[in-house]
Amino acid sequence: PVLRVHILRSPREIALMRKAGLVVWQAHQLAAELVRPGVTTAEIDATIDEHFAKCGAIPLFKGVPGKTPFPAATCISVNEEVVHGIPGPRKLKEGDVVSIDTGCKLGGWCGDAAITHPVGKVAPEVAKLLEVTKGVLDLAIEEMGKRRLWSEVAERMAQYVREAGFSVVENFVGHGIGREMHEEPQVPNFVSGGLRRNGDFRLEPGLVIAVEPMVNMGTKRVKGLPDHWTQVTVDGKPSAHFEHTIAMTPEGPKALT
Ligand code: MG
């Protein structure tokens, strides 16, 4: 197998990325306070957009090119929406799950993170979906400190989700992050022939990646909606998404967000 070589960041650069990561983390704290039945996804987006402006940070998602440029500072995806949902007038309801994904650039460095929240009380199986998706991100961070290669981490992530009875989305993956939001390498949450052949990479100090497992309650298959952005599960069952920007340091992996 060919191991890819990627840009490594100095401790100074990682300290600067931490500043961007903290602004993203604060954005998620503000959003968490708003999540309740009756709030619209546009209100959550506006709060995060304002927070970035106050911090002198640039929202990274706004204007991402596609068939139409992404119009908001956050991707907000409800229930069967997996990722890339567009904030709007939709009101959250008791029992929904809402994934909020956002990133910013501060002082030229990027941070990116996602959290899925329950809205009020959710069904036990849905609560388990959130627990397992958060759990697989925590597992990845822990394993990054113990393994030599990303494929070893990805294999354990996929196994953890499979054993819980859910499925890992394979159409979308995590990514390197630094000066830009999306850099090399691709960071899949599962192992494929491609990862083993020529996509694998060493977990060495200075590597900074956004790890973002997306877990579906039913089938792993997803499809795009006509808005050109929103991805939904093919079977209409709920999906969850958690993400952190993580730096490998000599002391082990550190979540910057
Ligand atoms: Mg990301």
Side-chain angles (χ1 to χ4, degrees):
V2 180
L3 285 182
R4 293 207 175 201
V5 177
H6 301 292
I7 303 176
L8 299 176
R9 307 295 179 184
S10 68
R12 187 189 141 266
E13 290 171 326
I14 290 174
L16 293 172
M17 288 191 74
R18 170 65 171 155
K19 290 187 180 177
L22 273 177
V23 171
V24 172
W25 181 81
Q26 289 161 354
H28 278 292
Q29 303 309 303
L30 292 170
E33 288 169 27
L34 289 179
V35 171
R36 60 173 181 275
V39 77
T40 68
T41 56
E43 287 172 78
I44 296 172
D45 179 67
T47 299
I48 289 182
D49 204 6
E50 257 170 53
H51 169 69
F52 287 158
K54 256 188 236 160
C55 295
I58 300 163
L60 284 171
F61 292 12
K62 217 183 264 184
V64 166
K67 233 174 180 178
T68 56
F70 193 79
T74 58
C75 290
I76 304 190
S77 309
V78 182
N79 297 339
E80 77 285 0
E81 296 173 355
V82 180
V83 285
H84 304 168
I86 300 174
R90 179 176 187 165
K91 284 191 167 122
L92 298 180
K93 294 193 319 289
E94 178 92 16
D96 284 346
V97 286
V98 59
S99 147
I100 301 170
D101 186 0
T102 194
C104 76
K105 188 183 268 193
L106 183 74
W109 294 96
C110 298
D112 185 7
I115 299 177
T116 303
H117 301 273
V119 182
K121 200 169 158 43
V122 301
E125 185 71 356
V126 174
K128 184 185 165 195
L129 177 69
L130 299 196
E131 204 177 287
V132 166
T133 312
K134 169 78 164 57
V136 74
L137 176 57
D138 291 343
L139 173 76
I141 297 170
E142 194 187 313
E143 290 289 334
M144 284 172 74
K146 295 188 202 162
R147 310 293 163 192
R148 198 175 64 90
L149 297 175
W150 175 256
S151 61
E152 300 172 86
V153 177
E155 194 171 350
R156 283 166 179 83
M157 291 174 81
Q159 183 188 359
Y160 178 92
V161 171
R162 197 165 50 234
E163 281 171 5
F166 299 138
S167 58
V168 171
V169 173
E170 297 186 356
N171 287 46
F172 298 94
V173 297
H175 48 94
I177 180 167
R179 288 285 187 188
E180 304 299 330
M181 173 167 60
H182 291 133
E183 296 186 352
E184 290 292 312
Q186 292 202 359
V187 184
N189 308 296
F190 56 94
V191 177
S192 64
L195 178 64
R196 288 208 196 280
R197 263 192 312 279
N198 60 11
D200 211 354
F201 52 91
R202 261 192 206 96
L203 298 166
E204 55 194 323
L207 180 79
V208 186
I209 55 178
V211 178
E212 48 178 320
M214 289 142 269
V215 176
N216 290 354
M217 188 180 284
T219 176
K220 69 182 180 188
R221 292 176 55 225
V222 303
K223 63 177 182 188
L225 293 187
D227 67 13
H228 303 307
W229 283 104
T230 312
Q231 300 289 322
V232 296
T233 58
V234 164
D235 60 9
K237 291 188 180 173
S239 182
H241 178 209
F242 283 82
E243 174 181 23
H244 269 310
T245 297
I246 300 159
M248 292 299 296
T249 75
E251 296 79 45
K254 278 206 165 71
L256 302 180
T257 41

mmCIF file of all heavy atoms in Angstrom, residues 82-84 167-175 182 186-192 212-216 219-225 229-234 239 241:
data_model
loop_
_atom_site.group_PDB
_atom_site.id
_atom_site.type_symbol
_atom_site.label_atom_id
_atom_site.label_comp_id
_atom_site.label_asym_id
_atom_site.label_seq_id
_atom_site.Cartn_x
_atom_site.Cartn_y
_atom_site.Cartn_z
ATOM 1 N N VAL A 82 -29.354 14.005 6.094
ATOM 2 C CA VAL A 82 -28.078 13.490 6.591
ATOM 3 C C VAL A 82 -27.089 14.641 6.794
ATOM 4 O O VAL A 82 -26.573 14.850 7.895
ATOM 5 C CB VAL A 82 -27.501 12.452 5.600
ATOM 6 C CG1 VAL A 82 -26.167 11.899 6.106
ATOM 7 C CG2 VAL A 82 -28.500 11.310 5.378
ATOM 8 N N VAL A 83 -26.818 15.377 5.729
ATOM 9 C CA VAL A 83 -25.934 16.545 5.774
ATOM 10 C C VAL A 83 -26.390 17.556 4.729
ATOM 11 O O VAL A 83 -27.225 17.257 3.868
ATOM 12 C CB VAL A 83 -24.447 16.179 5.494
ATOM 13 C CG1 VAL A 83 -23.804 15.502 6.690
ATOM 14 C CG2 VAL A 83 -24.295 15.348 4.235
ATOM 15 N N HIS A 84 -25.802 18.766 4.827
ATOM 16 C CA HIS A 84 -25.947 19.831 3.818
ATOM 17 C C HIS A 84 -27.366 20.396 3.720
ATOM 18 O O HIS A 84 -27.738 20.972 2.691
ATOM 19 C CB HIS A 84 -25.459 19.354 2.432
ATOM 20 C CG HIS A 84 -24.055 18.856 2.449
ATOM 21 N ND1 HIS A 84 -23.487 18.158 1.400
ATOM 22 C CD2 HIS A 84 -23.079 18.943 3.392
ATOM 23 C CE1 HIS A 84 -22.235 17.836 1.706
ATOM 24 N NE2 HIS A 84 -21.971 18.303 2.903
ATOM 25 N N SER A 167 -25.868 2.010 10.368
ATOM 26 C CA SER A 167 -24.952 1.970 9.231
ATOM 27 C C SER A 167 -24.206 3.291 9.041
ATOM 28 O O SER A 167 -24.743 4.370 9.303
ATOM 29 C CB SER A 167 -25.704 1.574 7.956
ATOM 30 O OG SER A 167 -26.741 2.485 7.712
ATOM 31 N N VAL A 168 -22.956 3.159 8.608
ATOM 32 C CA VAL A 168 -22.101 4.329 8.343
ATOM 33 C C VAL A 168 -22.360 4.806 6.921
ATOM 34 O O VAL A 168 -22.327 4.016 5.977
ATOM 35 C CB VAL A 168 -20.611 3.947 8.484
ATOM 36 C CG1 VAL A 168 -19.710 5.077 7.987
ATOM 37 C CG2 VAL A 168 -20.269 3.596 9.919
ATOM 38 N N VAL A 169 -22.606 6.100 6.765
ATOM 39 C CA VAL A 169 -22.752 6.691 5.428
ATOM 40 C C VAL A 169 -21.393 6.657 4.730
ATOM 41 O O VAL A 169 -20.378 7.016 5.327
ATOM 42 C CB VAL A 169 -23.251 8.154 5.545
ATOM 43 C CG1 VAL A 169 -23.251 8.848 4.186
ATOM 44 C CG2 VAL A 169 -24.642 8.181 6.165
ATOM 45 N N GLU A 170 -21.394 6.216 3.479
ATOM 46 C CA GLU A 170 -20.124 6.097 2.747
ATOM 47 C C GLU A 170 -19.989 7.131 1.624
ATOM 48 O O GLU A 170 -18.925 7.240 1.026
ATOM 49 C CB GLU A 170 -19.973 4.665 2.205
ATOM 50 C CG GLU A 170 -19.909 3.649 3.356
ATOM 51 C CD GLU A 170 -19.627 2.226 2.914
ATOM 52 O OE1 GLU A 170 -19.556 1.980 1.694
ATOM 53 O OE2 GLU A 170 -19.501 1.362 3.809
ATOM 54 N N ASN A 171 -21.062 7.865 1.345
ATOM 55 C CA ASN A 171 -20.985 8.851 0.255
ATOM 56 C C ASN A 171 -20.240 10.124 0.653
ATOM 57 O O ASN A 171 -19.850 10.900 -0.211
ATOM 58 C CB ASN A 171 -22.389 9.277 -0.189
ATOM 59 C CG ASN A 171 -23.093 8.206 -0.961
ATOM 60 O OD1 ASN A 171 -23.080 7.053 -0.535
ATOM 61 N ND2 ASN A 171 -23.697 8.554 -2.074
ATOM 62 N N PHE A 172 -20.089 10.345 1.956
ATOM 63 C CA PHE A 172 -19.416 11.551 2.434
ATOM 64 C C PHE A 172 -18.373 11.152 3.461
ATOM 65 O O PHE A 172 -18.568 10.189 4.194
ATOM 66 C CB PHE A 172 -20.416 12.536 3.033
ATOM 67 C CG PHE A 172 -21.423 12.994 2.025
ATOM 68 C CD1 PHE A 172 -22.641 12.346 1.905
ATOM 69 C CD2 PHE A 172 -21.114 14.016 1.147
ATOM 70 C CE1 PHE A 172 -23.555 12.731 0.936
ATOM 71 C CE2 PHE A 172 -22.020 14.408 0.172
ATOM 72 C CZ PHE A 172 -23.242 13.765 0.067
ATOM 73 N N VAL A 173 -17.278 11.913 3.502
ATOM 74 C CA VAL A 173 -16.156 11.571 4.373
ATOM 75 C C VAL A 173 -15.617 12.841 5.030
ATOM 76 O O VAL A 173 -15.939 13.952 4.616
ATOM 77 C CB VAL A 173 -15.035 10.876 3.564
ATOM 78 C CG1 VAL A 173 -15.526 9.556 2.985
ATOM 79 C CG2 VAL A 173 -14.493 11.782 2.454
ATOM 80 N N GLY A 174 -14.781 12.659 6.032
ATOM 81 C CA GLY A 174 -14.083 13.784 6.641
ATOM 82 C C GLY A 174 -12.921 14.226 5.752
ATOM 83 O O GLY A 174 -12.729 13.714 4.649
ATOM 84 N N HIS A 175 -12.116 15.161 6.273
ATOM 85 C CA HIS A 175 -11.142 15.828 5.410
ATOM 86 C C HIS A 175 -10.018 16.462 6.211
ATOM 87 O O HIS A 175 -10.202 16.830 7.376
ATOM 88 C CB HIS A 175 -11.862 16.920 4.607
ATOM 89 C CG HIS A 175 -12.752 17.800 5.451
ATOM 90 N ND1 HIS A 175 -12.335 18.991 5.976
ATOM 91 C CD2 HIS A 175 -14.034 17.624 5.900
ATOM 92 C CE1 HIS A 175 -13.324 19.530 6.686
ATOM 93 N NE2 HIS A 175 -14.365 18.717 6.673
ATOM 94 N N HIS A 182 -11.410 22.347 3.256
ATOM 95 C CA HIS A 182 -11.273 20.996 2.700
ATOM 96 C C HIS A 182 -9.895 20.850 2.081
ATOM 97 O O HIS A 182 -9.605 21.419 1.042
ATOM 98 C CB HIS A 182 -12.353 20.728 1.641
ATOM 99 C CG HIS A 182 -13.728 20.634 2.227
ATOM 100 N ND1 HIS A 182 -14.823 21.285 1.699
ATOM 101 C CD2 HIS A 182 -14.186 19.976 3.322
ATOM 102 C CE1 HIS A 182 -15.887 21.019 2.448
ATOM 103 N NE2 HIS A 182 -15.531 20.238 3.436
ATOM 104 N N GLN A 186 -8.606 12.713 2.319
ATOM 105 C CA GLN A 186 -9.972 12.287 2.607
ATOM 106 C C GLN A 186 -9.926 11.391 3.851
ATOM 107 O O GLN A 186 -8.994 10.610 4.011
ATOM 108 C CB GLN A 186 -10.534 11.496 1.434
ATOM 109 C CG GLN A 186 -10.731 12.372 0.215
ATOM 110 C CD GLN A 186 -11.744 11.797 -0.759
ATOM 111 O OE1 GLN A 186 -12.308 10.724 -0.558
ATOM 112 N NE2 GLN A 186 -11.994 12.534 -1.823
ATOM 113 N N VAL A 187 -10.950 11.525 4.693
ATOM 114 C CA VAL A 187 -10.964 10.802 5.975
ATOM 115 C C VAL A 187 -12.258 9.989 6.098
ATOM 116 O O VAL A 187 -13.218 10.423 6.740
ATOM 117 C CB VAL A 187 -10.812 11.792 7.154
ATOM 118 C CG1 VAL A 187 -10.720 11.045 8.480
ATOM 119 C CG2 VAL A 187 -9.577 12.678 6.968
ATOM 120 N N PRO A 188 -12.295 8.811 5.461
ATOM 121 C CA PRO A 188 -13.514 8.002 5.510
ATOM 122 C C PRO A 188 -13.734 7.370 6.885
ATOM 123 O O PRO A 188 -12.774 7.126 7.615
ATOM 124 C CB PRO A 188 -13.262 6.918 4.456
ATOM 125 C CG PRO A 188 -11.780 6.811 4.360
ATOM 126 C CD PRO A 188 -11.231 8.179 4.665
ATOM 127 N N ASN A 189 -14.999 7.111 7.184
ATOM 128 C CA ASN A 189 -15.362 6.484 8.463
ATOM 129 C C ASN A 189 -15.584 4.983 8.295
ATOM 130 O O ASN A 189 -16.330 4.367 9.040
ATOM 131 C CB ASN A 189 -16.627 7.148 9.007
ATOM 132 C CG ASN A 189 -16.501 8.649 9.062
ATOM 133 O OD1 ASN A 189 -15.668 9.160 9.794
ATOM 134 N ND2 ASN A 189 -17.289 9.361 8.274
ATOM 135 N N PHE A 190 -14.947 4.421 7.266
ATOM 136 C CA PHE A 190 -15.084 3.005 6.932
ATOM 137 C C PHE A 190 -13.848 2.653 6.114
ATOM 138 O O PHE A 190 -13.113 3.547 5.682
ATOM 139 C CB PHE A 190 -16.361 2.775 6.099
ATOM 140 C CG PHE A 190 -16.386 3.630 4.859
ATOM 141 C CD1 PHE A 190 -15.914 3.139 3.651
ATOM 142 C CD2 PHE A 190 -16.826 4.945 4.910
ATOM 143 C CE1 PHE A 190 -15.902 3.941 2.515
ATOM 144 C CE2 PHE A 190 -16.801 5.751 3.784
ATOM 145 C CZ PHE A 190 -16.347 5.257 2.585
ATOM 146 N N VAL A 191 -13.631 1.364 5.896
ATOM 147 C CA VAL A 191 -12.458 0.936 5.132
ATOM 148 C C VAL A 191 -12.913 0.438 3.772
ATOM 149 O O VAL A 191 -13.866 -0.319 3.664
ATOM 150 C CB VAL A 191 -11.688 -0.172 5.878
ATOM 151 C CG1 VAL A 191 -10.516 -0.662 5.041
ATOM 152 C CG2 VAL A 191 -11.175 0.358 7.204
ATOM 153 N N SER A 192 -12.241 0.910 2.728
ATOM 154 C CA SER A 192 -12.539 0.459 1.373
ATOM 155 C C SER A 192 -11.220 0.034 0.734
ATOM 156 O O SER A 192 -10.140 0.307 1.274
ATOM 157 C CB SER A 192 -13.140 1.606 0.574
ATOM 158 O OG SER A 192 -12.165 2.625 0.448
ATOM 159 N N GLU A 212 -15.688 13.176 10.829
ATOM 160 C CA GLU A 212 -17.123 13.469 10.884
ATOM 161 C C GLU A 212 -18.001 12.276 10.499
ATOM 162 O O GLU A 212 -18.547 12.218 9.406
ATOM 163 C CB GLU A 212 -17.474 14.694 10.042
ATOM 164 C CG GLU A 212 -16.932 14.751 8.640
ATOM 165 C CD GLU A 212 -17.431 16.015 7.932
ATOM 166 O OE1 GLU A 212 -18.604 16.398 8.106
ATOM 167 O OE2 GLU A 212 -16.650 16.625 7.192
ATOM 168 N N PRO A 213 -18.162 11.331 11.430
ATOM 169 C CA PRO A 213 -19.047 10.200 11.139
ATOM 170 C C PRO A 213 -20.507 10.627 10.963
ATOM 171 O O PRO A 213 -21.008 11.444 11.733
ATOM 172 C CB PRO A 213 -18.888 9.297 12.371
ATOM 173 C CG PRO A 213 -18.374 10.191 13.446
ATOM 174 C CD PRO A 213 -17.547 11.241 12.758
ATOM 175 N N MET A 214 -21.123 10.085 9.906
ATOM 176 C CA MET A 214 -22.557 10.220 9.663
ATOM 177 C C MET A 214 -23.136 8.822 9.788
ATOM 178 O O MET A 214 -22.661 7.909 9.102
ATOM 179 C CB MET A 214 -22.799 10.760 8.248
ATOM 180 C CG MET A 214 -22.417 12.209 8.067
ATOM 181 S SD MET A 214 -21.676 12.519 6.430
ATOM 182 C CE MET A 214 -19.935 12.258 6.791
ATOM 183 N N VAL A 215 -24.125 8.647 10.662
ATOM 184 C CA VAL A 215 -24.652 7.318 10.948
ATOM 185 C C VAL A 215 -26.156 7.307 10.683
ATOM 186 O O VAL A 215 -26.880 8.189 11.148
ATOM 187 C CB VAL A 215 -24.356 6.911 12.412
ATOM 188 C CG1 VAL A 215 -24.981 5.564 12.737
ATOM 189 C CG2 VAL A 215 -22.843 6.873 12.654
ATOM 190 N N ASN A 216 -26.599 6.310 9.909
ATOM 191 C CA ASN A 216 -28.025 6.165 9.595
ATOM 192 C C ASN A 216 -28.643 5.046 10.422
ATOM 193 O O ASN A 216 -28.007 4.017 10.657
ATOM 194 C CB ASN A 216 -28.214 5.830 8.112
ATOM 195 C CG ASN A 216 -27.871 7.000 7.201
ATOM 196 O OD1 ASN A 216 -27.596 8.104 7.675
ATOM 197 N ND2 ASN A 216 -27.875 6.748 5.902
ATOM 198 N N THR A 219 -30.749 2.059 6.146
ATOM 199 C CA THR A 219 -29.772 1.859 5.073
ATOM 200 C C THR A 219 -28.723 2.971 5.052
ATOM 201 O O THR A 219 -29.015 4.122 5.395
ATOM 202 C CB THR A 219 -30.465 1.798 3.694
ATOM 203 O OG1 THR A 219 -29.459 1.702 2.676
ATOM 204 C CG2 THR A 219 -31.306 3.037 3.413
ATOM 205 N N LYS A 220 -27.521 2.633 4.582
ATOM 206 C CA LYS A 220 -26.468 3.645 4.447
ATOM 207 C C LYS A 220 -26.703 4.534 3.235
ATOM 208 O O LYS A 220 -26.060 5.572 3.079
ATOM 209 C CB LYS A 220 -25.100 2.968 4.333
ATOM 210 C CG LYS A 220 -24.893 2.206 3.029
ATOM 211 C CD LYS A 220 -23.545 1.508 2.977
ATOM 212 C CE LYS A 220 -23.387 0.753 1.664
ATOM 213 N NZ LYS A 220 -22.187 -0.087 1.651
ATOM 214 N N ARG A 221 -27.648 4.134 2.372
ATOM 215 C CA ARG A 221 -27.812 4.844 1.099
ATOM 216 C C ARG A 221 -28.464 6.211 1.287
ATOM 217 O O ARG A 221 -29.399 6.371 2.070
ATOM 218 C CB ARG A 221 -28.603 3.989 0.116
ATOM 219 C CG ARG A 221 -27.805 2.760 -0.331
ATOM 220 C CD ARG A 221 -28.613 1.844 -1.221
ATOM 221 N NE ARG A 221 -29.153 2.550 -2.366
ATOM 222 C CZ ARG A 221 -30.407 2.421 -2.805
ATOM 223 N NH1 ARG A 221 -31.264 1.636 -2.174
ATOM 224 N NH2 ARG A 221 -30.796 3.083 -3.864
ATOM 225 N N VAL A 222 -27.953 7.197 0.560
ATOM 226 C CA VAL A 222 -28.460 8.570 0.632
ATOM 227 C C VAL A 222 -28.725 9.078 -0.781
ATOM 228 O O VAL A 222 -28.223 8.518 -1.751
ATOM 229 C CB VAL A 222 -27.454 9.512 1.350
ATOM 230 C CG1 VAL A 222 -27.131 9.012 2.733
ATOM 231 C CG2 VAL A 222 -26.174 9.674 0.541
ATOM 232 N N LYS A 223 -29.551 10.116 -0.869
ATOM 233 C CA LYS A 223 -29.786 10.755 -2.175
ATOM 234 C C LYS A 223 -29.929 12.256 -1.982
ATOM 235 O O LYS A 223 -30.261 12.730 -0.889
ATOM 236 C CB LYS A 223 -31.033 10.167 -2.840
ATOM 237 C CG LYS A 223 -32.300 10.420 -2.051
ATOM 238 C CD LYS A 223 -33.553 9.903 -2.748
ATOM 239 C CE LYS A 223 -34.775 10.258 -1.901
ATOM 240 N NZ LYS A 223 -36.019 9.671 -2.359
ATOM 241 N N GLY A 224 -29.678 13.009 -3.059
ATOM 242 C CA GLY A 224 -29.766 14.468 -2.990
ATOM 243 C C GLY A 224 -31.175 14.936 -3.296
ATOM 244 O O GLY A 224 -31.888 14.314 -4.089
ATOM 245 N N LEU A 225 -31.591 16.031 -2.647
ATOM 246 C CA LEU A 225 -32.894 16.647 -2.942
ATOM 247 C C LEU A 225 -32.740 17.664 -4.086
ATOM 248 O O LEU A 225 -31.626 18.091 -4.397
ATOM 249 C CB LEU A 225 -33.447 17.337 -1.692
ATOM 250 C CG LEU A 225 -33.848 16.431 -0.527
ATOM 251 C CD1 LEU A 225 -34.534 17.252 0.566
ATOM 252 C CD2 LEU A 225 -34.749 15.286 -0.989
ATOM 253 N N TRP A 229 -28.561 20.606 -2.564
ATOM 254 C CA TRP A 229 -27.679 20.493 -1.392
ATOM 255 C C TRP A 229 -28.090 19.376 -0.439
ATOM 256 O O TRP A 229 -27.280 18.528 -0.105
ATOM 257 C CB TRP A 229 -27.616 21.839 -0.642
ATOM 258 C CG TRP A 229 -26.732 22.807 -1.352
ATOM 259 C CD1 TRP A 229 -27.126 23.870 -2.113
ATOM 260 C CD2 TRP A 229 -25.299 22.780 -1.416
ATOM 261 N NE1 TRP A 229 -26.031 24.496 -2.631
ATOM 262 C CE2 TRP A 229 -24.893 23.855 -2.219
ATOM 263 C CE3 TRP A 229 -24.315 21.955 -0.865
ATOM 264 C CZ2 TRP A 229 -23.555 24.133 -2.486
ATOM 265 C CZ3 TRP A 229 -22.984 22.224 -1.127
ATOM 266 C CH2 TRP A 229 -22.615 23.303 -1.932
ATOM 267 N N THR A 230 -29.338 19.408 0.023
ATOM 268 C CA THR A 230 -29.750 18.516 1.109
ATOM 269 C C THR A 230 -29.617 17.048 0.709
ATOM 270 O O THR A 230 -30.113 16.639 -0.341
ATOM 271 C CB THR A 230 -31.217 18.786 1.491
ATOM 272 O OG1 THR A 230 -31.390 20.191 1.637
ATOM 273 C CG2 THR A 230 -31.582 18.073 2.792
ATOM 274 N N GLN A 231 -28.957 16.270 1.560
ATOM 275 C CA GLN A 231 -28.839 14.823 1.363
ATOM 276 C C GLN A 231 -29.743 14.135 2.371
ATOM 277 O O GLN A 231 -29.700 14.475 3.559
ATOM 278 C CB GLN A 231 -27.386 14.385 1.594
ATOM 279 C CG GLN A 231 -26.392 15.041 0.661
ATOM 280 C CD GLN A 231 -26.515 14.537 -0.761
ATOM 281 O OE1 GLN A 231 -26.751 13.343 -0.988
ATOM 282 N NE2 GLN A 231 -26.348 15.425 -1.723
ATOM 283 N N VAL A 232 -30.551 13.191 1.899
ATOM 284 C CA VAL A 232 -31.475 12.482 2.792
ATOM 285 C C VAL A 232 -31.229 10.977 2.699
ATOM 286 O O VAL A 232 -30.676 10.486 1.710
ATOM 287 C CB VAL A 232 -32.962 12.779 2.440
ATOM 288 C CG1 VAL A 232 -33.290 14.246 2.645
ATOM 289 C CG2 VAL A 232 -33.285 12.332 1.020
ATOM 290 N N THR A 233 -31.680 10.258 3.728
ATOM 291 C CA THR A 233 -31.593 8.796 3.677
ATOM 292 C C THR A 233 -32.627 8.305 2.650
ATOM 293 O O THR A 233 -33.729 8.862 2.548
ATOM 294 C CB THR A 233 -31.890 8.162 5.049
ATOM 295 O OG1 THR A 233 -33.196 8.576 5.483
ATOM 296 C CG2 THR A 233 -30.857 8.586 6.089
ATOM 297 N N VAL A 234 -32.269 7.256 1.917
ATOM 298 C CA VAL A 234 -33.161 6.725 0.887
ATOM 299 C C VAL A 234 -34.420 6.116 1.521
ATOM 300 O O VAL A 234 -35.508 6.193 0.949
ATOM 301 C CB VAL A 234 -32.386 5.686 0.037
ATOM 302 C CG1 VAL A 234 -33.321 4.825 -0.777
ATOM 303 C CG2 VAL A 234 -31.392 6.398 -0.874
ATOM 304 N N SER A 239 -30.962 10.143 10.652
ATOM 305 C CA SER A 239 -29.512 10.112 10.521
ATOM 306 C C SER A 239 -28.909 11.077 11.528
ATOM 307 O O SER A 239 -29.556 12.051 11.917
ATOM 308 C CB SER A 239 -29.146 10.547 9.101
ATOM 309 O OG SER A 239 -27.743 10.489 8.922
ATOM 310 N N HIS A 241 -24.993 13.072 12.896
ATOM 311 C CA HIS A 241 -23.703 13.552 12.400
ATOM 312 C C HIS A 241 -22.990 14.293 13.533
ATOM 313 O O HIS A 241 -23.551 15.238 14.088
ATOM 314 C CB HIS A 241 -23.987 14.491 11.220
ATOM 315 C CG HIS A 241 -22.784 15.121 10.593
ATOM 316 N ND1 HIS A 241 -22.856 16.347 9.978
ATOM 317 C CD2 HIS A 241 -21.502 14.709 10.478
ATOM 318 C CE1 HIS A 241 -21.657 16.654 9.489
ATOM 319 N NE2 HIS A 241 -20.820 15.678 9.780
#
